[in-house]
Amino acid sequence: FDDLEGALAEWADSLASLAASHSADFLALHLQEVGGTRWREEGSLDAVAHVLDALTERMPDFWSSGMLINLDTSESASRDSTFTALGSLYLVRRGAPMRRVSLWRWAEDEGVEGEFIRLSELPAPLQSRPGLPLRYCRHARFPQAIYPEKVDWSRKGRMLTRWRFEGGTFGMGGEDGAGTSRVVDLVNIHNFHDECNLRALQHCSTTPQASSAYLKSSSSTPVSSSDIDRIDSPSGVEEDVSTGVNSVARKEIAGTAQLSPFAACRRRALALVTADVLALSKGVSPAPAVFLFGDFNFRLDLAAVVRLFCGKEGLRAARALDPKKGALQLSTV
């Protein structure tokens, strides 16, 4: 996005070559920080269109979804903004594969069920210019309650599309096309990063502990601070035998005795996405398989890394530094 004259052509050529070498029929590209730094400097996402054009020019045998992205950057620094800089692009080979692939279209009216639409019945590309067709994807910025300490809100969030692959597609069923169809939810996520290594180091611990994670879905109910807090409380687990949510909610996740504020924020966000996906898949048959892609911003055990390089005394000294004044520098000398 920041080197349209140089890197873009090489990247697009490499992607087209990779698809050809694997005889790929379906490609899902999940991007974060779409637009690079240009949207900050120029106030627009015009670079996104160039990326889309470069791919469609090199892969004319593929149906394209176009770049699915929220273009409203006017209030990108506002807590009320929905901009995430997430972008999703899907390419499906024309011909037999395309006729056996369908995209879920959510209903516009409440109480009305959505439906799968065959790609052969949809425009090509689905989105002629970059934009967000809400009937074909679900997009959300993470709510402020996920990270209440942050003053300047970030663009972190998630985007979901749902696909159906009929028998005979991608190795499913027999060669004659017979077989069970598969429903797949593809989720593009951009999780929170560590804004300060010293703050993360001061809070993290290497003592193992088990905790329960569950958060009710934001797709049906607005998330409050009390909802977010329930993720660390086993007593807050909700019962829902009909959807099997309880079994997921009670599954223990290996954690730490004390998470950094950034790691805790990432866990809340991931739990929220999981709950959202479960809520959106309720009543869909067959039940969708779920693939999570994106930038999870997972980190190493920072305390263990510092102790490995600097020893216990070095770890103690690093934790004593003022995050507002000091800087974390590792040295084995």
Side-chain angles (χ1 to χ4, degrees):
F1 295 104
D2 290 331
D3 187 7
L4 299 179
E5 293 75 23
L8 175 58
E10 182 178 353
W11 175 77
D13 288 339
S14 297
L15 182 62
S17 176
L18 182 66
S21 65
H22 289 276
S23 300
D25 291 328
F26 184 95
L27 286 84
L29 278 71
H30 288 175
L31 311 174
Q32 301 79 41
E33 300 297 352
V34 170
T37 59
R38 286 174 178 259
W39 76 267
R40 289 179 179 273
E41 299 169 354
E42 303 172 6
S44 73
L45 287 167
D46 293 343
V48 177
H50 293 286
V51 173
L52 177 60
D53 292 342
L55 286 177
T56 53
E57 177 184 343
R58 288 164 173 78
M59 305 178 74
D61 295 336
F62 285 78
W63 175 92
S64 170
S65 67
M67 186 69 77
L68 310 185
I69 179 177
N70 186 333
L71 294 174
D72 184 13
T73 62
S74 59
E75 301 294 335
S76 60
S78 168
R79 294 180 186 274
D80 298 326
S81 171
T82 58
F83 181 65
T84 62
L86 286 171
S88 296
L89 172 65
Y90 303 95
L91 300 168
V92 184
R93 190 178 299 278
R94 299 179 187 275
M98 178 177 166
R99 291 193 293 272
R100 294 171 179 168
V101 178
S102 302
L103 178 61
W104 181 262
R105 181 171 66 188
W106 270 272
E108 292 181 305
D109 300 322
E110 188 174 350
V112 179
E113 294 184 359
E115 60 179 338
F116 279 108
I117 307 296
R118 292 182 183 274
L119 295 192
S120 57
E121 300 175 11
L122 292 174
L126 177 68
Q127 193 71 26
S128 58
R129 305 308 293 171
L132 194 66
L134 294 178
R135 294 202 67 185
Y136 295 98
C137 67
R138 282 293 180 261
H139 168 273
R141 195 179 191 179
F142 289 132
Q144 181 187 348
I146 289 283
Y147 196 176
E149 299 177 10
K150 190 171 179 61
V151 177
D152 298 324
W153 198 226
S154 70
R155 302 178 306 281
K156 304 301 191 290
R158 56 85 172 158
M159 184 185 296
L160 178 149
T161 55
R162 175 170 295 155
W163 303 81
R164 184 178 66 192
F165 304 98
E166 297 179 8
T169 309
F170 313 108
M172 302 176 188
E175 295 182 358
D176 59 353
T180 304
S181 63
R182 303 289 182 88
V183 176
V184 177
D185 283 352
L186 301 181
V187 184
N188 184 1
I189 180 174
H190 193 183
N191 213 334
F192 297 88
H193 62 280
D194 283 10
E195 292 189 340
C196 176
N197 286 328
L198 284 178
R199 281 192 63 199
L201 185 62
Q202 288 175 347
H203 290 83
C204 66
S205 169
T206 57
T207 304
Q209 170 181 290
S211 59
S212 296
Y214 174 65
L215 194 63
K216 67 182 179 181
S217 170
S218 65
S219 61
S220 57
T221 307
V223 177
S224 66
S225 297
S226 60
D227 292 328
I228 300 294
D229 292 338
R230 293 173 63 258
I231 187 172
D232 294 319
S233 172
S235 62
V237 175
E238 294 184 350
E239 299 284 340
D240 191 344
V241 178
S242 62
T243 61
V245 169
N246 184 51
S247 61
V248 175
R250 292 188 181 279
K251 183 175 182 180
E252 292 185 337
I253 299 176
T256 57
Q258 187 175 8
L259 295 173
S260 76
F262 313 112
C265 180
R266 283 192 289 272
R267 189 171 69 170
R268 292 169 187 151
L270 194 57
L272 180 60
V273 171
T274 302
D276 277 345
V277 172
L278 286 172
L280 289 171
S281 63
K282 187 175 182 179
V284 178
S285 180
V290 179
F291 289 88
L292 296 176
F293 302 84
D295 185 355
F296 293 89
N297 264 313
F298 290 150
R299 296 294 192 266
L300 297 172
D301 184 335
L302 186 56
V305 171
V306 174
R307 186 170 59 186
L308 174 65
F309 282 97
C310 306
K312 292 183 178 180
E313 289 302 319
L315 175 59
R316 186 176 296 109
R319 281 179 161 164
L321 293 174
D322 185 347
K324 296 180 180 180
K325 300 178 181 179
L328 182 60
Q329 297 180 345
L330 300 183
S331 175
T332 57
V333 179

